[in-house]
Amino acid sequence: MIKFLHCADLHLDSPLSALDLQKAEVRRNEMRASFTSITLYAATNKLDFLLISGDLFDSDYVTKDTIALITSEFAKIPDCKVIIAPGNHDPYTKQSCYRRADFPDNVYIFDSSELSCFDFPDKNTTIYGWAFTEPSLEFCPAEHFTPENPDRINILAVHADYGTSQSAYCPLPENIAAGCGVDYIALGHIHKFSGINQVGRTYYAYPGCVEGRGFDECGPKGVIIGAIDKSGGQAQLAAKFLPLSKCIYELERLDITGAETNADVCERISSLIAERHYDDKTALRLILTGNVSSGLRLSQSYVTAQFPRLFTLEVVDETSPMYDAAALRADPTIRGALYASLADMLEGDDQAQRETAALALRYGLAALSDGDIIDF
């Protein structure tokens, strides 16, 4: 039996340009800390293999500090074999840090887009894989492949686009996965945990990224830990997802219908945060919906400042103003003229036009009431 940890898509030294400089530096350090959590787990649990299925780095640009950290951490687990299959963000090129860095002897890096293997007879295990050698790989190197020794534990560790026959990021069709004869395919590239799946006699999984970097990567992130036992030619896999992320991105929609003041809005948000148990590890994008008082001038800067405990709070206003259409229609002043100019759009069938017109009406009524519309 072998014990392993499977991770991918750490994207170390990612620029994190959506955050301010201070928070971006915090997140970069947290991403490094998640990496050290991986090696600490490997050491504590005496793992046989650490499988890294691509995009360990975000690009060819990697800081010296990060390279020093990685090589130092790998050196702390000499009895654990580290297998790296470079991906589309960290391809094995002449300029890549995979060539420049001095990795310890327990680190094995695939360096060709052709399928090859690392053999570990003492573990009765062979690990196959390949590397991206440029930012794209439009063919599947596993076509017509079967393991040299079916009685061994055979693993395929790759950065690939599973379930498709055409992709710029290494297509891996399901029929090839099912027929290749390996026991486990350790995938990278998709940033969401796929669950532990099986096709034919082959198990496969994406662990997802280790740390979210934006609101397209919501929820807990982490790694897969597992063990493979093989006897009688059939492998048995026991594996599960282990969350490790230091910061969790969350996307919520909140109906604030009836809100009349910014204080009302904050009270609704506070209730949501308490209900979801969000804390200083939470980066929250909150989309506000519903019909609110036409006199409400939502101050996003004020609202976000009321929740400093969150790592970040981003408020998106998609509310619509409640207004008395009959009164505005009969209003002889410029307020009535404003409504009349927007009436067709407000009452039309095109939702996008209705939303635009409602926003224009809110801006206009606020301005006519001497309101400040800068912070809408």
Side-chain angles (χ1 to χ4, degrees):
M1 183 181 74
I2 62 165
K3 296 190 295 182
F4 68 90
L5 185 151
H6 168 205
C7 64
D9 299 285
L10 284 89
H11 288 275
L12 297 176
D13 286 342
S14 181
L16 301 169
S17 55
L19 298 173
D20 63 47
L21 291 177
Q22 182 179 1
K23 289 190 180 294
E25 185 60 26
V26 170
R27 288 296 293 131
R28 275 191 285 270
N29 288 330
E30 287 179 339
M31 292 169 76
R32 295 186 187 108
S34 288
F35 171 77
T36 61
S37 295
I38 289 171
T39 54
L40 177 61
Y41 185 94
T44 304
N45 292 275
K46 297 181 170 54
L47 299 187
D48 299 297
F49 296 101
L50 170 54
L51 310 174
I52 304 177
S53 300
D55 289 358
L56 173 60
F57 307 110
D58 192 62
S59 67
D60 284 340
Y61 174 74
V62 184
T63 64
K64 291 182 179 179
D65 287 347
T66 296
I67 293 176
L69 171 69
I70 288 172
T71 54
S72 173
E73 288 297 310
F74 286 156
K76 292 177 182 178
I77 50 173
D79 296 328
C80 179
K81 308 302 183 185
V82 179
I83 314 298
I84 303 175
N88 59 296
H89 279 273
D90 60 349
Y92 195 99
T93 64
K94 292 180 180 180
Q95 297 79 30
S96 76
C97 66
Y98 292 125
R99 285 181 177 269
R100 302 195 313 267
D102 185 16
F103 288 96
D105 292 339
N106 62 320
V107 178
Y108 300 79
I109 305 171
F110 291 108
D111 60 4
S112 169
S113 59
E114 296 182 3
L115 187 141
S116 60
C117 70
F118 297 114
D119 197 24
F120 305 95
D122 59 323
K123 302 295 184 182
N124 191 38
T125 300
T126 304
I127 299 180
Y128 295 85
W130 55 77
F132 276 66
T133 55
E134 55 185 56
S136 64
L137 180 60
E138 297 185 359
F139 65 94
C140 179
E143 192 169 6
H144 309 304
F145 154 71
T146 55
E148 294 179 9
N149 189 340
D151 293 328
R152 285 196 174 181
I153 295 171
N154 292 292
I155 295 173
L156 180 62
V158 292
H159 200 77
D161 198 350
Y162 179 85
T164 180
S165 59
Q166 291 185 331
S167 173
Y169 305 111
C170 189
L172 181 56
E174 186 175 272
N175 65 305
I176 291 180
C180 69
V182 299
D183 302 305
Y184 179 63
I185 304 178
L187 292 162
H189 183 58
I190 302 301
H191 288 196
K192 183 178 180 180
F193 174 52
S194 65
I196 309 298
N197 304 288
Q198 190 171 12
V199 56
R201 302 176 70 177
T202 298
Y203 297 95
Y204 68 94
Y206 285 101
C209 54
V210 178
E211 287 281 348
R213 295 175 297 154
F215 294 103
D216 56 343
E217 298 173 350
C218 291
K221 303 297 180 182
V223 302
I224 293 171
I225 53 173
I228 300 176
D229 190 23
K230 191 169 187 178
S231 59
Q234 177 62 47
Q236 298 297 324
L237 172 69
K240 66 178 182 179
F241 177 76
L242 177 68
L244 288 180
S245 48
K246 312 297 183 186
C247 178
I248 299 176
Y249 284 79
E250 299 287 0
L251 178 63
E252 294 273 9
R253 299 183 73 87
L254 179 63
D255 188 333
I256 59 168
T257 293
E260 297 184 353
T261 66
N262 283 285
D264 291 342
V265 175
C266 290
E267 184 177 350
R268 306 272 186 99
I269 295 174
S270 183
S271 296
L272 173 70
I273 289 172
E275 179 183 341
R276 298 287 197 271
H277 304 290
Y278 292 152
D279 55 20
D280 58 353
K281 295 182 178 180
T282 305
L284 177 61
R285 173 179 286 172
L286 191 56
I287 301 173
L288 302 179
T289 64
N291 299 312
V292 300
S293 169
S294 60
L296 172 59
R297 294 185 288 277
L298 184 68
S299 171
Q300 295 185 10
S301 59
Y302 171 82
V303 170
T304 55
Q306 305 313 302
F307 302 96
R309 188 183 175 196
L310 298 179
F311 182 73
T312 61
L313 174 61
E314 178 183 322
V315 174
V316 179
D317 183 10
E318 293 187 359
T319 61
S320 299
M322 293 185 295
Y323 52 84
D324 187 337
L328 286 171
R329 196 177 290 114
D331 193 320
T333 70
I334 194 172
R335 292 164 57 88
L338 172 64
Y339 177 81
S341 69
L342 297 169
D344 288 345
M345 293 176 63
L346 288 166
E347 299 168 6
D349 295 329
D350 188 314
Q351 181 178 351
Q353 283 193 351
R354 289 199 306 271
E355 292 174 353
T356 300
L359 188 60
L361 181 62
R362 175 184 288 187
Y363 283 166
L365 293 177
L368 292 171
S369 301
D370 295 324
D372 182 2
I373 65 171
I374 293 176
D375 197 32
F376 265 82

